[in-house]
Amino acid sequence: MKLTHLAITGLALITLVPLGIPTTANAKSTTLPRTIRSHTWYRLTDGSQGGFHDKTTFKGNHFTIKVKGTNLRYHWHFSGLKKHTATTYYGRLHYAKKHSALVKIKIFSKSHFDIIQKHTPNLAGNYTGNETYGATIFKR
């Protein structure tokens, strides 16, 4: 009788205890929308800099920038990308092995988006850069 009682109690504990354990949901990283990932873009500069017109190719969250007029290629990628709204993403842009920056990706249309760093020099506040000063503009 005692053995049966112990077996039933043990079985109940084994089946019911996992239901009482709280689960933690880790937000997974996401990728940029397909309208960005599957096209070739041209990297432009904000109004305060000289003119880039670099060809940029995206593959997932990785992209390659070919500098116009040279054989230079830069390989950058995003990590920890989170969707905030339908047109805004936040994440970390890795542009060198040991260098990265927190960025905001603002999508204006299927042929235009900006990458804005969290701390833009000479501007107060976070993600305050715009197309006039501080943003890297990508257009098709």
Side-chain angles (χ1 to χ4, degrees):
M1 175 91 171
K2 256 187 174 181
L3 187 59
T4 314
H5 189 306
L6 280 172
I8 291 173
T9 306
L11 186 60
L13 282 173
I14 291 171
T15 56
L16 296 177
V17 168
L19 297 176
I21 297 173
T23 58
T24 57
N26 292 334
K28 292 174 73 176
S29 285
T30 186
T31 57
L32 292 170
R34 181 170 287 151
T35 55
I36 291 176
R37 287 183 288 133
S38 60
H39 291 90
T40 298
W41 296 84
Y42 291 93
R43 178 177 70 138
L44 308 174
T45 58
D46 59 32
S48 68
Q49 299 173 358
F52 293 146
H53 195 72
D54 302 335
K55 187 176 180 180
T56 306
T57 307
F58 281 83
K59 289 187 179 176
N61 285 342
H62 296 266
F63 55 105
T64 302
I65 298 173
K66 183 183 180 319
V67 179
K68 184 178 180 181
T70 67
N71 288 330
L72 293 175
R73 293 187 196 287
Y74 296 109
H75 301 285
W76 294 355
H77 72 276
F78 293 109
S79 67
L81 206 57
K82 305 283 189 253
K83 184 175 184 178
H84 183 68
T85 64
T87 59
T88 306
Y89 290 78
Y90 290 94
R92 181 171 291 276
L93 174 62
H94 297 271
Y95 52 89
K97 207 165 222 177
K98 294 184 179 182
H99 299 286
S100 64
L102 293 171
V103 294
K104 171 182 173 182
I105 297 127
K106 181 71 178 162
I107 301 170
F108 294 101
S109 68
K110 64 181 183 176
S111 61
H112 177 203
F113 74 94
D114 291 351
I115 296 177
I116 304 164
Q117 286 193 7
K118 183 172 184 175
H119 301 293
T120 304
N122 303 322
L123 291 178
N126 298 330
Y127 305 108
T128 53
N130 56 30
E131 291 192 352
T132 306
Y133 182 78
T136 303
I137 304 163
F138 287 88
K139 289 191 177 183
R140 275 200 254 172

